Structure formats: C-alpha cells, structure tokens
Amino acid sequence: MNNLQLPEVTPSASAVVTRPSVKRRIDPIDAPARPLGNKRLALIAKRTNAAASTSYRNAKRIAAGDTLLANHDGTVTFLLRATSYGLLMERTQRQASGMRLVQTMVFHDVKSFDRWCAVEPLRFDDGLLYCKLGREGHAAFTIKR
Amino acid sequence: MRHSPSNAEPTGPVSLGRAIEDNVRVFQILPLITDASSSGEVISLFREAVAGLGADAGFFLSCVRDDATRTSFRSFWACDPAWPAEYASQRWFEHDPWLRYASCDAEPTRASYLNCSSPEENAFIRAAAEHGFASALIAPAPSSVGLSRVGVLCLGSADPERFMGESYPRVRVLARALAMELHHSIAISMREELLRGASLTEADLHLLRCEAAGQSSKVIGAAMHLEAKTIDSRFQRVNAKLGAPDRRTAVRIARLYGLL
C-alpha cells in the first residue's frame, strides 16, 4: 500500500486575487490627474465656455445685500459685500484652459479701494463694468454694518 | 499691534517684549480663524496676524488640481491692493517660485534662500519687492492629498532684513501654524461652495461612495434594485453637477473637496 500522501493543492496567489475587471479602478488622489483624450478635452472646454457665458444665472444664488458683477463673457466676476470689517470683494477669473483664480480681499477705506480700482486690469477691457464696479464699491462704503 | 512697517528687527528688552506680546496675540488668533463665520472675518484676522508676525504684507494662496483640465486657485490678500491686481493680470501664479517651493517642500523658509529657475520667476521676485515683499517668509501648507492641494503663506516686508533676526525661529513656527489654519479655512469654504453650487443630494454622495469603493454599475444597481443603465444615467447627472468628464474624476473631485 502506498502511504505517500499527495501534496495538498492550493490555488496559486494569482488565482485567488479578484479579477481586476470586477473592481473598478480608482484614480489616486495624491497624484496628478489622469490625462484626457483630445475629444474629451474639446468637449470639456465647450461645456466650460457654455457655463461661463451663463454666469449671470448665478446671480440668483448670491445672498441678499451682495452685488455680483460680471464682464460680457463671464470670465471675470466680482462679488461685493459690505461687512463690519469693510468692503469684502471676491474677484474670480476663469479661463478656457480650466484655470480659475479667486482673490478675496477686504478694503477698509475708500482710498484703498480706489487704489485697487486704479490698477484693476478690467479698466481697459470693459469700461462700463469698471465704472459700475467703482459706483457699487463706493455705495457699499456708505452702508453701515 | 504696535508694529510699524519702517521698524527694523526689534532690539532691546522693551522691543523684544512687545514682539513677544504680538506673537502671543497671533497664537490667540489662530483658533479664531477656523471658527470664523465669514471670509471677511478670516481676512481681518489674517491681517492682524500678519502685523503680529512683524510683516508689512501677506497673502495666502491655495491651489487645487481638480482634474486634468481644471486648476483652482483661491487666495486671501492682506497687502497693497495693487499686488493682487498685478498677480491676476500678469498671471504670476504660472511663474510663482513660492508656490513652486510649496509644491515640493513643507518647511518654512526665507524667500532669499530660494533659487529662481526662470527669467519669469526673477521678474516675479522683482514685482513682489515693489509691492512690499522685498524680503519674504514662505510657509507651505501641505495637505493629505499631496500635490493635488497645496497652500502657501507669503509674509513680506519692505525691510530686506526683516526675517533675518533672532525672532525668525519664533515667527517661522507661528507662520507655519497660520498657513495651516488658513488652508483649513479655505478648504472648508471650498467644500461649502461646491455643495451649494452643485446641489448634491445624499443619493448622489451615496453613488460616489460606491464608486470610490470600486463598485460597478451592476453591483450598485443590484444593491439598490435598479438597472445598471439607471445607475449610469444617475452618474451622468452627478458628473454634470460636478463638472467632471467621468465618474472617476467625479470621485476625485469629491474626495479633494472632502465630500466623501
């Protein structure tokens, strides 16, 4: 009689691992974002431009007492709010490439606001909006909070 | 705060005592930043902290790389109002050596110790010097998501020797803490803004959590007694709300902004 025991067959490591196709892949959060194809990039740019052009719609969402101003194509917006700390201004600049720069600052007096107005790049690009910005800013300083 | 922009590094027991008093005030300000109810209050506290640290000017910049096509910069400014205007018009964020430093190092340092890698960066340094950053202390604010979200606090002075004195080790520690508090404050406001703007529901967040767990539409649908196609179309709506090209990016954005 043969007492030789057959070796116990255990599945190899690769056989027990769940198939990759079963579990969806997740982008690593701490690495650069996954690059997109040309077609998808074009689609995203189109959607971004469409969203920017309807930025006036966002005016409905702002709080009472706030003033939202936007240039003709919605790439630059200004949110003005009179606070007890001074005039709060949030300047948002969007670009088709997907960059968005939000600058938040507080002007304690009309002088500092005027100094900022004197160098604001919009003064050459959209004169009407620039005038309105100055008027709204000065008006906000007269509001007591 | 009793700091005067034209003052040099405080010397003598009286000046040193005042400087320490100002630093204590900064220490008291730090927890108030997180509790602040509005960005106006945060900037007001930030301005006070800048003066308390012996600086004439300061700004904090947070950079979030949402996806392959979108990068968001949010910033607080407590300085000459001409500097943020020039920063935006000249697109300095593309050539900001201080932001670049914060992307690869977490240790606060003097700006004079950094090497500029391009003519644009040298131009940035010259422009910053004209707006109250002749000398600067750079305090990076790293995050748990690595390069995807980085913050940098820049404290500046018209005095080229401002951050060279004996108080530097103390200021460095407080600047690091201030940078982290401001970064946290911005992260909270960005999260709230996204939640408000995207109008995400609890069901949307549940879908994103399932996706983050690696579940396919079939698996999610089976658990919810729905067809996989229904789950797909729900994901399309979530993607549209977040401005994401696909659901993997939607999960990335949700995680970056602390929604999951």
Side-chain angles (χ1 to χ4, degrees):
Chain A
M1 188 153 179
N2 189 1
N3 291 330
L4 183 67
Q5 286 187 332
L6 289 171
E8 195 176 331
V9 178
T10 55
S12 65
S14 61
V16 293
V17 170
T18 314
R19 282 184 302 150
S21 58
V22 172
K23 194 137 180 168
R24 287 178 55 80
R25 283 179 295 175
I26 302 165
D27 288 349
I29 192 76
D30 53 353
R34 180 168 36 89
L36 302 175
N38 290 335
K39 195 174 172 183
R40 184 157 280 187
L41 275 176
L43 180 66
I44 294 295
K46 191 178 167 186
R47 282 181 185 163
T48 306
N49 290 340
S53 64
T54 58
S55 61
Y56 274 115
R57 222 182 287 165
N58 294 335
K60 292 172 188 171
R61 290 184 191 153
I62 64 169
D66 289 0
T67 305
L68 183 72
L69 303 171
N71 68 344
H72 60 282
D73 58 1
T75 51
V76 181
T77 59
F78 300 92
L79 179 75
L80 301 174
R81 181 183 302 154
T83 70
S84 55
Y85 310 100
L87 172 63
L88 175 82
M89 197 205 56
E90 196 173 275
R91 183 188 190 276
T92 304
Q93 180 177 330
R94 291 184 184 82
Q95 282 172 352
S97 61
M99 186 284 303
R100 188 173 70 130
L101 172 67
V102 183
Q103 296 176 308
T104 310
M105 57 198 103
V106 171
F107 299 106
H108 293 288
D109 49 36
V110 178
K111 191 182 166 189
S112 61
F113 177 69
D114 286 343
R115 173 155 169 71
W116 172 79
C117 283
V119 289
E120 165 56 40
L122 196 77
R123 67 193 187 281
F124 299 123
D125 301 335
D126 195 333
L128 279 176
L129 177 64
Y130 178 68
C131 291
K132 195 171 180 183
L133 182 63
R135 277 199 307 274
E136 296 284 352
H138 286 149
F141 278 110
T142 62
I143 300 171
K144 295 287 178 196
R145 291 291 171 117
Chain B
M1 298 288 167
R2 285 170 292 275
H3 170 69
S4 161
S6 59
N7 284 350
E9 175 74 18
T11 52
V14 176
S15 298
L16 187 64
R18 283 179 180 172
I20 290 174
E21 268 181 42
D22 284 349
N23 289 169
V24 169
R25 175 61 189 143
V26 173
F27 191 70
Q28 291 168 340
I29 287 171
L30 291 173
L32 302 179
I33 290 175
T34 303
D35 297 337
S37 57
S38 67
S39 45
E41 190 179 349
V42 172
I43 292 177
S44 190
L45 291 166
F46 177 35
R47 188 181 288 270
E48 203 177 335
V50 165
L53 290 170
D56 306 332
F59 70 94
F60 182 82
L61 185 71
S62 170
C63 170
V64 180
R65 294 171 177 91
D66 295 2
D67 60 41
T69 65
R70 197 170 48 178
T71 302
S72 301
F73 298 92
R74 287 191 75 93
S75 50
F76 290 143
W77 302 80
C79 57
D80 173 10
W83 176 231
E86 181 171 339
Y87 197 91
S89 65
Q90 298 293 325
R91 299 167 58 87
W92 283 128
F93 48 84
E94 290 178 351
H95 309 288
D96 186 340
W98 301 340
L99 180 60
R100 178 174 58 78
Y101 172 75
S103 300
C104 58
D105 208 314
E107 197 63 27
T109 189
R110 298 176 179 102
S112 55
Y113 286 11
L114 303 180
N115 292 321
C116 293
S117 62
S118 67
E120 290 84 2
E121 289 192 352
N122 284 319
F124 170 90
I125 296 296
R126 284 194 297 274
E130 288 173 12
H131 294 285
F133 291 86
S135 63
L137 190 160
I138 310 304
S143 73
S144 60
V145 292
L147 286 177
S148 300
R149 195 174 73 218
V150 171
V152 60
L153 168 68
C154 309
L155 297 174
S157 174
D159 176 7
E161 303 292 320
R162 169 63 65 194
F163 301 108
M164 301 302 283
E166 289 177 0
S167 65
Y168 176 71
R170 210 171 51 241
V171 173
R172 186 176 59 84
V173 169
L174 288 169
R176 190 202 299 256
L178 178 61
M180 294 306 289
E181 289 303 313
L182 289 169
H183 204 191
H184 181 60
S185 170
I186 280 192
I188 291 172
S189 65
M190 288 175 89
R191 180 181 182 274
E192 287 172 357
E193 187 182 295
L194 183 68
L195 274 174
R196 212 171 38 242
S199 309
L200 288 173
T201 63
E202 189 50 44
D204 295 335
L205 293 175
H206 176 67
L207 277 184
L208 290 169
R209 280 188 205 104
C210 292
E211 174 68 18
Q215 295 177 0
S216 65
S217 294
K218 274 186 186 175
V219 174
I220 301 169
M224 297 170 72
H225 308 292
L226 293 169
E227 291 286 327
K229 282 184 179 177
T230 309
I231 301 299
D232 288 342
S233 61
R234 286 189 180 181
F235 264 118
Q236 280 187 355
R237 284 198 291 273
V238 173
N239 294 345
K241 284 180 180 180
L242 291 172
D246 50 52
R247 61 171 84 173
R248 279 166 66 187
T249 307
V251 167
R252 178 187 163 87
I253 292 172
R255 290 177 68 195
L256 274 179
Y257 286 78
L259 299 180
L260 299 184

